[in-house]
Amino acid sequence: MAAEIVNPRSDEETDNNPDAVFALHRGGKMAIQATVPVNDKDDLSLAYTPGVAKVCTAIAEQPELVNEYTWKSNVVAVVTDGTAVLGLGDIGPEASLPVMEGKAILFKQFGGVDAVPIALATKDTDEIVETVIRLAPSFGGVNLEDISAPRCFEIERRLQDALDIPIFHDDQHGTAIVTLAALRNAAKLTGRTLGDLRAVIAGAGAAGIAIAKILVDAGIGDVCVTDRKGVVSADRTDLTDVKAEIAGLTNKSALTGTLEQALAGADVFIGVSGGTVAEEAVATMAANSFVFAMANPNPEVHPDVAHKYAAVVATGRSDFPNQINNVLAFPGIFAGAFKVQASRITENMKIAAADAIAGVVADDELKADYVIPSPFDERVAAAVTEAVAAAAREDGVARRP
């Protein structure tokens, strides 16, 4: 999964000084803060009883008023079951909370969106879906986080079908959106378009599947996905339903065999697997290739190796150029969806977000070590917000002008 928690401290300060990490987390990283005063009985009578009853009655008569007179329309539920937390795996709901808090403060800092961490004590797909549906009246959208594949695909689909608010699994779509943005600019830098490229994705989990789908939707020349057994191809009999679907959408070249074999002559390597790719295989890629090795903390191809062969190198790490970082996407996506009170996040909205991120890097700024903007570039969230809102209107899912 691409990097998500942004920490302005240097790696030396954090890695070599664990006390600083624990000190920062003591008591948690977030709190609820009132936006209105409660300093006297008049304030109290307005913010709570008896005044609040007028607002409750109005919402009961016109339910859509909840978006105007509560925080619902600007708050995200960050929901996890703790089964796929960063590179730590299934560590449970309690241990996932520091990450969910981190996600929540990134929503606020980068998108102006409030978010509430919700860690569920269940791994059962039906229970997760039912729980989120019951919680939905309190939230304007749901960000699914760190839920393992393949359950994450079904959970997202069922929630999208059941609810009329944006449902977004960031491990899938956030990573895919930022990858597409970086790939668009890498192609532009080398005088090509997406349609000129053949890509190979290592990893058929949440991120790998989503990246493949968005690249197909965006017009990639060809792309194939690989898992531990090699290329995910239509002739395999051991595929899950999700892999069978992606096999039908990808691999126009009908490649079979191993990842290493697929890389021969490929223009793009995208790693979301956590494995290691041999230098000999990278050396067989086409001239002016791109290596996006996004596993953390150890990229599938170390940048020092990748730079021997590739025109553009990207990772999921903050200590190398071109960090594929989900924080470039999800705050602005929800901010844009909330701006127009969108009922869902469409594929067109995701591609619009990717184009907006790519567009922040001006043509005269574009270079091999700068194909994607920094998470701290204040232009990013605003650009994504406006692009997503416009795409929602085009797709007919906006309920507010």
Side-chain angles (χ1 to χ4, degrees), residues 112-290:
V113 172
D114 291 302
V116 177
I118 298 176
L120 303 178
T122 179
K123 301 178 187 178
D124 183 86
T125 296
D126 291 339
E127 291 181 353
I128 292 171
V129 171
E130 291 167 4
T131 301
V132 175
I133 289 173
R134 284 165 172 75
L135 290 170
S138 296
F139 297 98
V142 177
N143 184 93
L144 299 172
E145 188 75 16
D146 293 348
I147 299 173
S148 62
R151 296 172 310 118
C152 59
F153 302 112
E154 180 181 353
I155 290 168
E156 182 185 44
R157 177 185 57 78
R158 287 174 59 182
L159 288 173
Q160 286 175 336
D161 290 344
L163 300 172
D164 65 348
I165 59 176
I167 310 295
F168 186 80
H169 184 210
D170 187 51
D171 301 332
Q172 292 184 62
H173 310 301
T175 307
I177 288 164
V178 182
T179 300
L180 173 59
L183 192 57
R184 280 204 190 283
N185 277 346
K188 182 189 294 185
L189 180 66
T190 57
R192 291 176 285 179
T193 67
L194 287 180
D196 299 322
L197 305 176
R198 177 170 74 84
V200 177
I201 299 172
I209 295 294
I211 292 169
K213 286 182 176 180
I214 202 170
L215 292 184
V216 169
D217 288 343
I220 191 81
D222 196 10
V223 57
C224 75
V225 180
T226 66
D227 61 12
R228 291 183 179 87
K229 296 183 179 180
V231 175
V232 176
S233 56
D235 63 332
R236 281 177 49 180
T237 60
D238 62 339
L239 300 179
T240 64
D241 290 344
V242 172
K243 290 182 182 180
E245 178 190 8
I246 205 66
L249 296 173
T250 61
N251 197 19
K252 297 176 185 176
S253 304
L255 298 175
T256 58
T258 66
L259 164 66
E260 289 75 16
Q261 290 171 321
L263 278 178
D267 302 291
V268 185
F269 167 75
I270 298 172
V272 283
S273 67
T276 301
V277 179
E279 180 175 349
E280 292 76 12
V282 179
T284 68
M285 294 178 66
N288 287 321
S289 62
F290 312 138

Side-chain angles (χ1 to χ4, degrees), residues 47-112:
Y48 200 53
T49 185
V52 73
K54 296 182 182 296
V55 179
C56 293
T57 301
I59 294 171
E61 294 173 353
Q62 294 180 262
E64 67 275 10
L65 292 178
V66 70
N67 294 300
E68 183 174 354
Y69 293 110
T70 74
W71 76 334
K72 175 183 170 72
S73 62
N74 195 55
V75 63
V76 177
V78 181
V79 177
T80 189
D81 63 357
T83 55
V85 181
L86 297 180
L88 304 174
D90 185 354
I91 60 174
E94 289 85 0
S96 76
L97 274 175
V99 177
M100 301 311 117
E101 288 183 3
K103 194 82 173 192
I105 64 175
L106 296 184
F107 266 112
K108 189 65 172 179
Q109 178 175 340
F110 293 100

